[in-house]
Amino acid sequence: MEDSYIYRQVYSEEFHYLFRFKTENQLEYVATVDLIPSLKDSIFYYNVFNFGFYCRQIHTGSDKKIGATIIKIINNLINYDSDNAIIYTCDSSDYKEENRNRLFNIWFNKERAMGVYKFDEDIIMDSCIMHTSLLIHFNNSFYSQIVNMYKEDLAFMRSSK
Amino acid sequence: MFNIKIVNVMKTQTAQDRMKEYIKMHEKKKQTAIDVKNGKYSDLPTKYSKFGR
């Protein structure tokens, strides 16, 4: 396991959880955890989160602690309650989603917690590829329902394009 | 009992409805990326976290 940065949860009315950390090079990272409105009537509404992370500055160079910190935030969310699951979508606002997706896969494979599985689905949106991943613990009480819902929804979105 | 509830949910909310909301989430992500770059969350106070660190 790589060393990680100390991250803090910050007050936010906009997101379910908001985390922030600063790197040795003074880069500021924000990780957002949000509920998914389309699940509001399901019993796993408070357990399936939309996750994203963003850097305030333009990041150049390599810093292994950033990935370790991002995956640590995810691991802690899932370890806190194994019924929690994360849907991660790569930020595509700067058209660097391919690099971001490749990096995320490397980070996850290196730092993932025991029992956490990843499912990947890609769709095309706004003329760019949207890379998404579902991260879920094998002991999740709704494991098959959540995995099936994720796969079905993304398959539907692909077929609708 | 839980399984019955899930089946009902999936019947009442169509995949099309869920797709619309995924698109909204996608738009929100784009806006969040802009907000982060503009420092919107830089000065928010920290709070005790049950998730450690």
Coordinates of all heavy atoms in Angstrom, one line a residue, chain A residues 12-64:
Chain A
S12 N -20.8 20.6 3.5 CA -21.3 20.9 2.1 C -22.8 20.7 2.1 O -23.3 19.6 2.6 CB -20.7 20.1 1.1 OG -21.3 20.2 -0.1
E13 N -23.6 21.6 1.6 CA -25.0 21.4 1.5 C -25.3 20.8 0.1 O -26.4 20.4 -0.2 CB -25.8 22.7 1.7 CG -25.7 23.2 3.1 CD -26.5 24.5 3.3 OE1 -26.9 25.1 2.4 OE2 -26.5 24.9 4.5
E14 N -24.3 20.9 -0.8 CA -24.5 20.5 -2.2 C -24.3 19.0 -2.4 O -24.9 18.5 -3.3 CB -23.4 21.3 -3.0 CG -23.8 21.5 -4.4 CD -22.7 22.4 -5.1 OE1 -22.2 23.3 -4.4 OE2 -22.4 22.1 -6.2
F15 N -23.4 18.4 -1.6 CA -23.1 17.0 -1.8 C -23.4 16.2 -0.5 O -23.4 16.8 0.6 CB -21.6 16.8 -2.2 CG -21.3 17.5 -3.5 CD1 -20.7 18.7 -3.5 CD2 -21.6 16.8 -4.7 CE1 -20.4 19.3 -4.7 CE2 -21.3 17.4 -5.9 CZ -20.7 18.7 -5.9
H16 N -23.6 14.9 -0.6 CA -23.8 14.1 0.5 C -22.5 14.1 1.4 O -22.6 14.2 2.6 CB -24.1 12.6 0.1 CG -24.8 11.8 1.1 ND1 -26.0 12.1 1.6 CD2 -24.4 10.7 1.7 CE1 -26.3 11.2 2.6 NE2 -25.4 10.4 2.6
Y17 N -21.4 13.9 0.8 CA -20.1 14.0 1.4 C -19.2 14.8 0.5 O -19.2 14.6 -0.7 CB -19.4 12.7 1.8 CG -20.3 11.8 2.6 CD1 -20.7 10.5 2.1 CD2 -20.6 12.1 3.9 CE1 -21.4 9.7 2.9 CE2 -21.4 11.2 4.7 CZ -21.8 10.0 4.2 OH -22.5 9.1 4.9
L18 N -18.3 15.6 1.1 CA -17.3 16.3 0.3 C -16.0 16.2 1.0 O -15.9 16.5 2.2 CB -17.7 17.8 0.1 CG -16.9 18.6 -0.8 CD1 -17.1 18.2 -2.3 CD2 -17.3 20.1 -0.7
F19 N -14.9 15.7 0.3 CA -13.6 15.6 1.0 C -12.6 16.5 0.2 O -12.7 16.7 -1.0 CB -13.2 14.1 0.9 CG -14.1 13.1 1.6 CD1 -15.0 12.4 0.8 CD2 -14.1 13.0 2.9 CE1 -15.9 11.5 1.5 CE2 -14.9 12.1 3.6 CZ -15.8 11.4 2.9
R20 N -11.6 16.8 1.0 CA -10.5 17.7 0.4 C -9.2 17.3 0.9 O -9.0 17.0 2.1 CB -10.9 19.2 0.8 CG -10.2 20.2 0.0 CD -10.7 21.6 0.4 NE -10.5 21.8 1.9 CZ -11.3 22.7 2.6 NH1 -12.2 23.4 2.0 NH2 -11.1 22.8 3.9
F21 N -8.2 17.4 0.0 CA -6.8 17.2 0.5 C -5.9 18.0 -0.4 O -6.2 18.4 -1.5 CB -6.4 15.7 0.5 CG -6.4 15.0 -0.8 CD1 -5.2 14.9 -1.5 CD2 -7.5 14.4 -1.3 CE1 -5.1 14.2 -2.8 CE2 -7.4 13.7 -2.5 CZ -6.3 13.6 -3.2
K22 N -4.7 18.3 0.2 CA -3.7 19.0 -0.6 C -2.4 18.2 -0.7 O -2.0 17.5 0.2 CB -3.4 20.3 0.2 CG -3.1 21.5 -0.6 CD -3.1 22.8 0.2 CE -3.8 23.9 -0.5 NZ -3.8 25.1 0.2
T23 N -1.8 18.3 -1.8 CA -0.6 17.4 -2.1 C 0.7 18.2 -1.6 O 0.6 19.4 -1.3 CB -0.4 17.1 -3.6 OG1 -0.1 18.2 -4.3 CG2 -1.7 16.5 -4.1
E24 N 1.8 17.5 -1.7 CA 3.1 18.2 -1.3 C 3.4 19.3 -2.2 O 4.0 20.3 -1.8 CB 4.2 17.1 -1.4 CG 4.3 16.2 -0.3 CD 4.9 14.8 -0.6 OE1 5.5 14.7 -1.7 OE2 5.0 14.0 0.3
N25 N 2.9 19.3 -3.5 CA 3.1 20.4 -4.4 C 2.0 21.4 -4.4 O 1.8 22.2 -5.3 CB 3.2 19.8 -5.8 CG 4.5 18.9 -6.0 OD1 5.5 19.2 -5.3 ND2 4.4 17.9 -6.8
Q26 N 1.2 21.4 -3.3 CA 0.2 22.4 -3.1 C -1.0 22.3 -4.1 O -1.7 23.3 -4.4 CB 0.7 23.8 -3.1 CG 1.8 24.0 -2.0 CD 1.2 23.7 -0.6 OE1 0.2 24.3 -0.2 NE2 1.9 22.8 0.2
L27 N -1.2 21.1 -4.7 CA -2.3 20.9 -5.5 C -3.5 20.6 -4.6 O -3.4 19.8 -3.7 CB -2.1 19.8 -6.5 CG -1.0 19.9 -7.5 CD1 -0.8 18.7 -8.3 CD2 -1.3 21.1 -8.5
E28 N -4.6 21.2 -4.9 CA -5.8 20.9 -4.1 C -6.8 20.0 -4.8 O -7.2 20.2 -5.9 CB -6.5 22.3 -3.8 CG -7.7 22.2 -2.9 CD -8.4 23.5 -2.7 OE1 -7.7 24.4 -2.2 OE2 -9.6 23.6 -3.1
Y29 N -7.1 18.9 -4.1 CA -8.0 17.9 -4.7 C -9.4 17.9 -3.9 O -9.4 18.1 -2.7 CB -7.4 16.5 -4.6 CG -6.6 16.2 -5.8 CD1 -5.3 16.7 -5.9 CD2 -7.1 15.5 -6.9 CE1 -4.5 16.4 -7.0 CE2 -6.3 15.2 -8.0 CZ -5.0 15.7 -8.1 OH -4.2 15.4 -9.2
V30 N -10.4 17.7 -4.6 CA -11.8 17.7 -4.0 C -12.4 16.4 -4.5 O -12.4 16.0 -5.7 CB -12.6 18.9 -4.4 CG1 -14.1 18.7 -4.1 CG2 -12.1 20.2 -3.8
A31 N -13.0 15.6 -3.6 CA -13.7 14.4 -3.9 C -15.2 14.5 -3.5 O -15.4 14.9 -2.4 CB -13.1 13.1 -3.3
T32 N -16.1 14.3 -4.4 CA -17.5 14.5 -4.1 C -18.2 13.1 -4.1 O -17.9 12.2 -4.8 CB -18.2 15.3 -5.2 OG1 -18.0 14.7 -6.5 CG2 -17.5 16.7 -5.3
V33 N -19.1 13.0 -3.1 CA -19.9 11.8 -3.0 C -21.4 12.2 -2.9 O -21.8 13.0 -2.1 CB -19.5 11.0 -1.7 CG1 -20.4 9.8 -1.5 CG2 -18.1 10.7 -1.6
D34 N -22.1 11.7 -3.9 CA -23.5 12.2 -4.0 C -24.5 11.1 -4.1 O -24.2 10.0 -4.6 CB -23.6 13.0 -5.3 CG -24.3 14.3 -5.2 OD1 -24.8 14.6 -4.1 OD2 -24.3 15.1 -6.1
L35 N -25.7 11.3 -3.6 CA -26.8 10.3 -3.8 C -27.2 10.3 -5.3 O -27.0 11.3 -6.0 CB -27.9 10.6 -2.9 CG -27.6 10.6 -1.4 CD1 -28.8 11.1 -0.6 CD2 -27.3 9.2 -0.9
I36 N -27.8 9.3 -5.7 CA -28.3 9.2 -7.1 C -29.8 9.3 -7.1 O -30.5 8.4 -6.6 CB -27.8 7.8 -7.7 CG1 -26.3 7.7 -7.6 CG2 -28.3 7.7 -9.1 CD1 -25.7 6.4 -8.1
P37 N -30.3 10.5 -7.6 CA -31.7 10.7 -7.6 C -32.6 9.6 -8.1 O -33.7 9.4 -7.6 CB -31.8 12.0 -8.4 CG -30.5 12.6 -8.4 CD -29.5 11.5 -8.3
S38 N -32.1 9.0 -9.2 CA -33.0 8.0 -9.8 C -33.2 6.8 -8.9 O -34.1 5.9 -9.2 CB -32.4 7.5 -11.1 OG -31.1 7.0 -10.9
L39 N -32.5 6.7 -7.8 CA -32.7 5.5 -6.9 C -33.5 5.9 -5.7 O -33.6 5.1 -4.7 CB -31.3 5.0 -6.4 CG -30.4 4.5 -7.5 CD1 -29.0 4.1 -6.9 CD2 -31.0 3.3 -8.3
K40 N -34.1 7.1 -5.7 CA -34.7 7.6 -4.5 C -35.8 6.7 -3.9 O -36.1 6.8 -2.7 CB -35.2 9.1 -4.7 CG -36.3 9.3 -5.7 CD -36.6 10.8 -5.8 CE -37.5 11.1 -6.9 NZ -36.8 11.0 -8.2
D41 N -36.5 5.9 -4.7 CA -37.5 5.0 -4.2 C -37.0 3.7 -3.8 O -37.8 2.8 -3.4 CB -38.6 4.9 -5.2 CG -39.3 6.2 -5.5 OD1 -39.4 7.0 -4.5 OD2 -39.7 6.5 -6.6
S42 N -35.7 3.4 -4.0 CA -35.2 2.1 -3.8 C -34.7 2.0 -2.3 O -34.3 3.0 -1.8 CB -34.2 1.7 -4.8 OG -33.0 2.3 -4.4
I43 N -34.6 0.8 -1.8 CA -34.1 0.6 -0.5 C -32.6 0.8 -0.4 O -32.0 1.0 0.7 CB -34.5 -0.7 0.2 CG1 -34.0 -1.9 -0.7 CG2 -36.0 -0.8 0.4 CD1 -34.2 -3.2 -0.1
F44 N -31.9 0.9 -1.5 CA -30.4 1.2 -1.4 C -30.1 2.6 -1.8 O -29.0 2.9 -2.2 CB -29.6 0.1 -2.2 CG -30.1 -0.3 -3.5 CD1 -29.9 0.5 -4.6 CD2 -30.7 -1.5 -3.7 CE1 -30.4 0.1 -5.9 CE2 -31.2 -1.9 -5.0 CZ -31.0 -1.1 -6.0
Y45 N -31.1 3.5 -1.8 CA -30.9 4.9 -2.1 C -29.7 5.5 -1.3 O -28.9 6.2 -1.9 CB -32.2 5.7 -1.9 CG -32.0 7.2 -2.1 CD1 -31.5 7.7 -3.3 CD2 -32.5 8.1 -1.2 CE1 -31.4 9.0 -3.6 CE2 -32.4 9.5 -1.4 CZ -31.9 9.9 -2.6 OH -31.8 11.3 -2.8
Y46 N -29.7 5.2 0.0 CA -28.6 5.8 0.8 C -27.3 5.0 0.9 O -26.4 5.3 1.7 CB -29.2 6.0 2.3 CG -30.2 7.1 2.4 CD1 -31.6 6.8 2.5 CD2 -29.8 8.4 2.3 CE1 -32.5 7.8 2.5 CE2 -30.8 9.4 2.3 CZ -32.1 9.1 2.4 OH -33.1 10.1 2.5
N47 N -27.2 4.0 0.0 CA -26.0 3.2 -0.1 C -25.3 3.3 -1.4 O -24.1 2.8 -1.4 CB -26.4 1.8 0.3 CG -26.8 1.6 1.7 OD1 -28.0 1.4 2.0 ND2 -25.9 1.6 2.6
V48 N -25.9 3.8 -2.4 CA -25.2 3.8 -3.7 C -24.9 5.3 -4.0 O -25.8 6.1 -4.1 CB -26.1 3.2 -4.9 CG1 -25.3 3.2 -6.2 CG2 -26.4 1.7 -4.5
F49 N -23.6 5.5 -4.2 CA -23.1 6.9 -4.3 C -22.5 7.2 -5.7 O -21.8 6.3 -6.2 CB -22.1 7.3 -3.2 CG -22.6 7.1 -1.8 CD1 -22.1 6.1 -1.0 CD2 -23.6 7.9 -1.3 CE1 -22.5 5.9 0.3 CE2 -24.1 7.7 0.0 CZ -23.5 6.7 0.8
N50 N -22.7 8.4 -6.2 CA -22.0 8.8 -7.3 C -20.7 9.5 -6.9 O -20.8 10.5 -6.1 CB -22.9 9.8 -8.1 CG -22.3 10.4 -9.3 OD1 -21.4 9.8 -9.9 ND2 -22.8 11.5 -9.7
F51 N -19.5 9.0 -7.3 CA -18.3 9.6 -6.8 C -17.5 10.3 -7.9 O -17.5 9.9 -9.1 CB -17.4 8.4 -6.3 CG -16.1 8.8 -5.7 CD1 -16.0 9.1 -4.4 CD2 -14.9 8.8 -6.5 CE1 -14.7 9.5 -3.9 CE2 -13.7 9.1 -6.0 CZ -13.6 9.5 -4.7
G52 N -16.9 11.4 -7.6 CA -16.0 12.1 -8.5 C -14.9 12.8 -7.8 O -15.0 13.0 -6.6
F53 N -13.8 13.0 -8.5 CA -12.7 13.8 -7.9 C -12.2 14.8 -8.9 O -12.2 14.5 -10.1 CB -11.6 12.9 -7.3 CG -10.8 12.1 -8.3 CD1 -9.7 12.6 -8.8 CD2 -11.3 10.9 -8.7 CE1 -8.9 11.9 -9.8 CE2 -10.5 10.1 -9.6 CZ -9.4 10.7 -10.2
Y54 N -11.7 15.9 -8.4 CA -11.3 17.0 -9.2 C -10.0 17.6 -8.6 O -9.9 17.7 -7.4 CB -12.4 18.0 -9.3 CG -13.7 17.4 -9.6 CD1 -14.5 16.9 -8.6 CD2 -14.2 17.3 -10.9 CE1 -15.8 16.3 -8.8 CE2 -15.5 16.8 -11.2 CZ -16.2 16.3 -10.1 OH -17.4 15.7 -10.4
C55 N -9.2 18.2 -9.5 CA -8.0 18.9 -9.1 C -8.2 20.4 -9.4 O -8.7 20.7 -10.6 CB -6.7 18.4 -9.7 SG -5.2 19.3 -9.2
R56 N -8.0 21.3 -8.5 CA -8.2 22.7 -8.7 C -7.2 23.2 -9.8 O -7.6 24.1 -10.6 CB -8.1 23.5 -7.4 CG -8.5 24.9 -7.6 CD -8.5 25.7 -6.3 NE -8.7 27.1 -6.6 CZ -8.6 28.0 -5.7 NH1 -8.3 27.8 -4.4 NH2 -8.9 29.3 -6.0
Q57 N -6.0 22.8 -9.7 CA -4.9 23.3 -10.6 C -4.7 22.3 -11.8 O -5.3 21.2 -11.7 CB -3.6 23.5 -9.9 CG -3.7 24.5 -8.8 CD -4.2 23.9 -7.4 OE1 -4.6 22.8 -7.4 NE2 -4.3 24.8 -6.4
I58 N -4.0 22.7 -12.7 CA -3.6 21.7 -13.8 C -2.5 20.9 -13.3 O -1.4 21.4 -12.9 CB -3.2 22.5 -15.1 CG1 -4.4 23.2 -15.6 CG2 -2.6 21.5 -16.1 CD1 -4.1 24.1 -16.8
H59 N -2.7 19.6 -13.2 CA -1.8 18.7 -12.6 C -0.8 18.1 -13.6 O -1.2 17.6 -14.7 CB -2.5 17.5 -12.0 CG -1.6 16.5 -11.2 ND1 -2.0 15.3 -10.9 CD2 -0.3 16.7 -10.9 CE1 -1.0 14.7 -10.3 NE2 0.1 15.5 -10.3
T60 N 0.5 18.3 -13.4 CA 1.5 17.7 -14.2 C 2.4 16.9 -13.3 O 2.5 17.1 -12.1 CB 2.4 18.8 -14.9 OG1 2.9 19.7 -13.9 CG2 1.6 19.6 -15.9
G61 N 3.1 15.9 -13.9 CA 4.0 15.1 -13.1 C 3.3 13.9 -12.5 O 2.1 13.8 -12.7
S62 N 4.0 13.2 -11.7 CA 3.5 12.0 -11.1 C 3.5 12.0 -9.6 O 4.5 12.5 -9.0 CB 4.3 10.8 -11.6 OG 4.0 9.7 -10.9
D63 N 2.5 11.6 -8.9 CA 2.5 11.6 -7.5 C 1.6 10.4 -7.0 O 0.4 10.5 -7.1 CB 1.9 12.9 -7.0 CG 1.8 13.0 -5.4 OD1 2.1 12.0 -4.8 OD2 1.6 14.1 -4.9
K64 N 2.3 9.4 -6.6 CA 1.6 8.1 -6.3 C 0.6 8.2 -5.1 O -0.3 7.5 -5.0 CB 2.6 7.0 -6.0 CG 3.3 6.6 -7.2 CD 4.4 5.5 -6.9 CE 5.1 5.1 -8.2 NZ 6.3 4.3 -7.9

